[in-house]
Amino acid sequence: MSLAYLAQEAATSESTFKGFGAIGYGLAAIGPGIGVGIVVGKAIEGIARQPELQGTIRTNMFLGIAFTEALALIGLVAGFIF
């Protein structure tokens, strides 16, 4: 099936492609999940290497998690919009 055909079918019949929004969001959540895992893992490594910078590293970790999770929320909203 070509992409043009699928786009045309999606435009003409909404009921055929209703479940694909959940699949799209599931795929969109994979990236932020991996990103949060990397951010937390590297923060733990940093705290283990320099425990005196624990507060600074933790603050930066929470900022990184917030930015990464924003991608998941954008994916959720995009699923509802499109």
Side-chain angles (χ1 to χ4, degrees):
M1 291 188 153
S2 69
L3 188 59
Y5 175 75
L6 290 175
Q8 183 181 11
E9 284 295 316
T12 57
S13 64
E14 288 290 323
S15 63
T16 306
F17 294 103
K18 275 197 172 199
F20 289 132
I23 293 172
Y25 177 67
L27 292 174
I30 291 173
I34 292 171
V36 168
I38 291 172
V39 167
V40 172
K42 294 297 181 177
I44 291 172
E45 285 180 18
I47 291 171
R49 290 175 188 247
Q50 292 187 339
E52 66 273 4
L53 292 176
Q54 180 178 5
T56 304
I57 293 172
R58 185 183 307 142
T59 302
N60 289 335
M61 178 189 73
F62 285 136
L63 282 172
I65 289 172
F67 289 138
T68 307
E69 286 298 323
L71 295 174
L73 292 175
I74 290 171
L76 177 66
V77 171
F80 284 123
I81 291 174
F82 301 119

